[in-house]
């Protein structure tokens, strides 16, 4: 080996003290960040059920009197409240990657969560003030949280070697589902014991505590991290050398927006998030309407699908990296295979949930649909790094813009489809039909147009006298 160089495959010595490996520290804190994002995003799904349910009081003579809900919002208004977050969220997807490239992903990712947490803390007061004040607050939360996902790719591309990207991104993303599990289960009990306001106070406070830890424990890059070992820094730099460029080059917008690989990611994320947001926002209400579950029982039933995906995310990330490392499949075939497994499984089990007719069977089908969806999510979470590492934040921002649209229209459509006074199983089945159909379409589109190869428009011709285009294509085979 030449002096001053290290073996590309030589990693820092393994140790059970994972906090000494700074890229793992980053992954763990991103995991916790995702956890908080979904606490802040899911609190309204539980809170609104308590806010709009009938309240009862007992008179001195023992008579129980229904005094009505604290907020008399019909299903249409509730649909707008649940979707209002995404009106803001969709506006800043592209900005996250662009601003992250300018001022750093650490500040944008952490700051977006911190501001969202602050607004959450005052949401109970705003709800009491006016439904319009609450709607504005939720839109504002979406604006600031919208920058988080795409800005994070600015950090991933600096910190995570290509051979570890599937597992790192999926391990971090599993925090989203663990956050959803925790929110759906814990917030239901917290709301019953301490009232719906406590849900917002708790999630806002935890978000601010995470932000303090994030600022203290993370750095923008291995080069600026004072705690990283020389061995780990050299390993990361050497692993990333093929995907780095000497200087940023102008974005080829036309090539980007006409790229089949980009559009396959856009469509896949739209279809996946349609199902995810539909279930996340509507499951508590579904179990209450169809099976007459109380809020605590519906919270538990709604959480079970996300327990399954929290586990499966880790399995899928490790499996994808192993398949690629062992060269059992090419990178492109691995991504397409995982997407098909995820989407076709979700299609079948979503239809099963629509027709089972019993609570236990419905919960089983939903748990399988969401859990096996980890194969698809493991793919969309990393594919932007495959096809455009230099512009991965921008590409994912575009894809997540499309992925945000379901969060806006899905609860709103449900509000019009499902009756306020007498919701029926047949009305709820329409929601499941739409979701299953989109999963099926997403699988077909991804197989036809997706890629795992770095795209030409992401490349400069020369980097340090090496033909990067040729090098990248060799590594992608």
């Amino acid at each position: 080996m030449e002096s001053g160089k290290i073996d590309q495959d030589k990693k820092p010595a393994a140790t059970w003290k994972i906090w000494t490996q700074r890229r793992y520290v980053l992954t763990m804190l991103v995991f916790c960040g995702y956890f908080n994002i979904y606490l802040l995003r899911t609190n309204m799904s539980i809170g609104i059920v308590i806010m709009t349910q009938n309240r009862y009081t007992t008179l001195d003579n023992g008579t129980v009197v229904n005094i009505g809900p604290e907020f008399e919002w019909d299903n249409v208004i509730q649909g707008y409240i649940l979707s209002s977050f995404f009106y803001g969220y969709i506006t800043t997807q592209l900005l996250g990657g662009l601003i992250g490239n300018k001022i750093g992903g650490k500040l944008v990712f952490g700051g977006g969560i911190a501001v969202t947490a602050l607004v959450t803390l005052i949401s109970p007061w705003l709800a009491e003030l006016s439904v319009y004040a609450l709607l504005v607050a939720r839109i504002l939360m979406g604006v600031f949280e919208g920058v988080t996902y795409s800005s994070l790719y600015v950090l991933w591309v600096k910190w995570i070697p290509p051979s570890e990207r599937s597992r790192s991104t999926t391990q971090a993303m599993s925090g989203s589902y663990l956050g959803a599990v925790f929110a759906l289960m814990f917030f239901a009990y917290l709301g019953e014991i301490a009232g719906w306001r406590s849900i917002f106070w708790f999630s806002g406070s935890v978000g601010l505590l995470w932000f303090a830890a994030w600022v203290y424990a993370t750095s923008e890059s291995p080069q600026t991290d004072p705690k990283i070992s020389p061995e780990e820094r050299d390993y990361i730099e050497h692993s990333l050398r093929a995907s780095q460029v000497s200087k940023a080059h102008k974005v080829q917008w036309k090539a980007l927006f006409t790229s089949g690989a980009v559009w396959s990611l856009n469509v896949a994320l739209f279809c996946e998030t349609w199902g995810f947001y539909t279930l996340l926002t509507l499951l508590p209400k579904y179990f209450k309407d169809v099976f007459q579950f109380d809020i605590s029982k519906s919270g538990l039933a709604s959480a079970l699908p996300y327990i399954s995906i929290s586990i499966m995310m880790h399995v899928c990330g490790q499996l994808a990296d192993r398949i690629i490392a062992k060269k059992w499949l090419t990178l492109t075939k691995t991504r397409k295979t995982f997407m098909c497994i995820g989407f076709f499984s979700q299609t079948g089990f979503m239809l099963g949930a629509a027709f089972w007719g019993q609570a236990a069977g419905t919960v089983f089908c939903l748990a399988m649909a969401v859990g096996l969806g980890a194969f698809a999510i493991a793919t969309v979470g990393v594919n932007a790094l495959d096809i455009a590492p230099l512009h991965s934040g921008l590409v994912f921002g575009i894809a997540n813009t499309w992925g945000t649209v379901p969060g806006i229209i899905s609860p709103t459509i449900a509000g019009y489809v499902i009756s306020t006074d007498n919701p029926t199983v047949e009305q709820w089945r329409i929601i499941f039909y739409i979701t299953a159909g989109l999963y099926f379409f997403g699988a077909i589109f991804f197989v036809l147009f997706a890629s795992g190869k770095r795209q030409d428009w992401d490349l400069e011709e020369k980097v340090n006298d090496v033909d990067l285009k040729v090098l990248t294509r060799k590594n992608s085979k």
Side-chain angles (χ1 to χ4, degrees), residues 34-297:
Y34 279 140
F35 181 93
N36 277 280
I37 284 173
Y38 273 81
L39 290 189
L40 298 167
R41 187 180 299 186
T42 312
N43 51 25
M44 185 57 73
S45 297
I46 296 294
I48 201 168
V49 176
I50 303 173
M51 296 163 77
T52 58
Q53 69 184 5
N54 287 324
R55 298 170 297 165
Y56 298 88
T57 186
T58 304
L59 302 179
D60 293 338
N61 62 6
T63 304
V64 177
V65 179
N66 181 357
I67 60 174
E70 185 170 353
F71 298 92
E72 295 184 349
W73 299 327
D74 62 22
N75 273 1
V76 174
I77 294 296
Q78 291 181 48
Y80 281 119
I81 292 172
L82 290 172
S83 63
S84 58
F85 171 92
F86 298 98
Y87 290 122
Y89 189 67
I90 198 172
T91 64
T92 52
Q93 295 300 314
L94 287 176
L95 287 178
L98 294 173
I99 297 174
N101 281 326
K102 296 291 185 181
I103 67 175
K106 173 184 174 178
L107 179 60
V108 179
F109 181 73
I113 296 176
V115 175
T116 305
L118 282 171
V119 177
T120 297
L121 283 174
I122 64 172
S123 290
W125 175 74
L126 295 172
E128 294 169 350
L129 181 65
S130 165
V131 67
Y132 300 106
L134 180 62
L135 286 169
V136 171
R138 297 292 295 182
I139 292 171
L140 186 62
M141 289 171 60
V143 168
F144 282 96
E145 195 173 295
V147 301
T148 55
Y149 279 85
S150 54
S151 66
L152 184 58
Y153 280 78
V154 178
L155 293 177
W156 285 143
V157 79
K158 296 175 183 177
W159 273 99
I160 308 300
S163 62
E164 299 179 9
R165 283 175 178 168
S166 291
R167 75 192 75 169
S168 293
T169 55
T170 53
Q171 286 169 357
M173 289 178 68
S174 67
S176 302
Y177 310 107
L178 187 61
V181 168
F182 181 86
L184 290 168
M185 295 179 66
F186 177 71
F187 285 168
Y189 290 102
L190 180 64
E192 282 196 335
I193 294 171
W196 62 267
R197 294 166 181 81
S198 64
I199 295 173
F200 298 93
W201 294 335
F202 178 89
S203 54
S205 299
V206 172
L208 292 178
L209 288 174
W210 169 86
F211 178 66
W214 173 259
V215 171
Y216 172 77
T218 62
S219 296
E220 183 65 28
S221 69
Q223 293 75 23
T224 60
D225 192 331
K227 299 177 183 178
I228 193 171
S229 68
E231 293 79 12
E232 184 182 13
R233 184 176 59 248
D234 289 344
Y235 166 66
I236 293 172
E237 289 178 348
H238 191 89
S239 298
L240 296 178
R241 187 170 298 163
S243 62
Q244 290 178 333
V245 292
S246 57
K247 59 181 180 179
H249 62 268
K250 186 176 180 180
V251 179
Q252 299 181 41
W253 291 105
K254 181 179 179 180
L256 190 156
F257 279 111
T258 57
S259 169
V262 171
W263 275 104
S264 68
L265 183 59
N266 294 343
V267 170
L269 201 54
F270 177 92
C271 297
E272 179 58 39
T273 54
W274 181 284
F276 180 76
Y277 289 139
T278 297
L279 297 180
L280 187 65
T281 57
L282 297 175
L283 272 187
K285 182 173 175 58
Y286 170 73
F287 285 115
K288 180 175 178 289
D289 288 349
V290 176
F291 299 111
Q292 289 74 52
F293 284 2
D294 59 31
I295 183 61
S296 60
K297 196 172 182 180

